[in-house]
Amino acid sequence: DSGVTQTPKHLITATGQRVTLRCSPRSGDLSVYWYQQSLDQGLQFLIQYYNGEERAKGNILERFSAQQFPDLHSELNLSSLELGDSALYFCASGGGYEQYFGPGTRLTVT
Amino acid sequence: AQSVAQPEDQVNVAEGNPLTVKCTYSVSGNPYLFWYVQYPNRGLQFLLKYITGDNLVKGSYGFEAEFNKSQTSFHLKKPSALVSDSALYFCAVRDVTSNTGKLIFGQGTTLQVKP
């Protein structure tokens, strides 16, 4: 158990809909990272927050957004969903060099 | 641009034999390198990292990795493979061009250990 929690584990939704993925980092970690894992793109960095502030953006679509709250949990919002958004979404946290990953949320868009 | 390559999609090895999963990197400056393992329907688990120091790094579950600066490689090794080692392995490098800590991953290598 990495200490990083993600909910929900699975999400099935229709095209055009909006969903919210939630992540709680390990106790004491100020950084939260979001990654997307898909068969064609592999593991891609989406966005990072540090202590409530956006720190870095990667290959994140404009339809996607994230935030980190004062209690350090983070949410990834995905809107106007397309079939191609179906993927495994991971959250990770870290205070040192390595990052610790949550179990992921598997999103299926039908 | 920084990148990581895992040249083998799959590695097959017999139980009890040594295993090697290959990784090469391209970075500007000193690399911070990592290995992660992913079991089916699970998240990524951290195995080991190289930041500085000894070129042979020891990690979890009996895995080790050898950092080779001249060959820009960071191969994962284990002296004696177990069937339970069968999983998807990712090599990653920390992005040092931006002061963010984000990881850049290779495409992954599936390790199949046969009894």
Side-chain angles (χ1 to χ4, degrees):
Chain A
D1 184 5
S2 67
V4 178
T5 60
Q6 288 187 251
T7 56
K9 285 187 178 175
H10 302 279
L11 207 45
I12 301 174
T13 189
T15 53
Q17 295 299 303
R18 172 189 169 96
V19 297
T20 298
L21 283 53
R22 182 188 169 105
C23 167
S24 292
R26 293 188 320 159
S27 177
D29 286 348
L30 300 179
S31 276
V32 169
Y33 305 81
W34 286 96
Y35 294 86
Q36 179 194 59
Q37 184 179 28
S38 62
L39 282 174
D40 52 344
Q41 298 285 341
L43 259 168
Q44 299 276 323
F45 167 75
L46 294 177
I47 196 164
Q48 178 202 0
Y49 275 80
Y50 178 83
N51 201 21
E53 300 287 328
E54 182 184 302
R55 176 66 72 90
K57 263 186 173 177
N59 299 322
I60 188 166
L61 300 170
E62 286 190 12
R63 301 182 283 109
F64 296 1
S65 64
Q67 53 184 327
Q68 187 178 26
F69 295 86
D71 67 352
L72 301 178
H73 91 271
S74 177
E75 292 180 357
L76 180 67
N77 300 296
L78 315 177
S79 61
S80 302
L81 285 167
E82 302 175 0
L83 295 177
D85 298 327
S86 296
L88 200 47
Y89 291 85
F90 287 111
C91 162
S93 76
Y97 290 106
E98 63 267 29
Q99 294 172 23
Y100 294 90
F101 283 73
T105 293
R106 183 170 293 282
L107 173 66
T108 302
V109 182
T110 61
Chain B
Q2 300 181 102
S3 64
V4 168
Q6 294 180 241
E8 302 155 317
D9 288 337
Q10 181 157 327
V11 169
N12 298 311
V13 65
E15 187 175 32
N17 282 2
L19 70 87
T20 298
V21 183
K22 295 180 180 177
C23 171
T24 58
Y25 64 88
S26 174
V27 302
S28 51
N30 294 321
Y32 298 158
L33 295 159
F34 306 84
W35 275 102
Y36 285 83
V37 60
Q38 184 179 25
Y39 295 98
N41 301 314
R42 302 280 294 275
L44 279 73
Q45 294 179 34
F46 169 72
L47 280 180
L48 50 80
K49 67 178 183 283
Y50 173 83
I51 304 301
T52 186
D54 195 351
N55 289 343
L56 187 63
V57 178
K58 293 192 184 298
S60 306
Y61 313 119
F63 283 94
E64 56 191 28
E66 187 169 10
F67 172 69
N68 187 316
K69 189 171 184 177
S70 62
Q71 297 185 5
T72 62
S73 67
F74 188 56
H75 300 334
L76 182 70
K77 300 182 179 188
K78 188 173 182 182
S80 178
L82 299 172
V83 172
S84 57
D85 293 330
S86 298
L88 183 57
Y89 290 79
F90 289 97
C91 181
V93 65
R94 180 178 166 123
D95 181 7
V96 294
T97 60
S98 61
N99 187 25
T100 65
K102 72 179 188 185
L103 296 177
I104 299 166
F105 287 89
Q107 283 299 104
T109 298
T110 299
L111 173 66
Q112 191 76 258
V113 181
K114 301 209 160 131

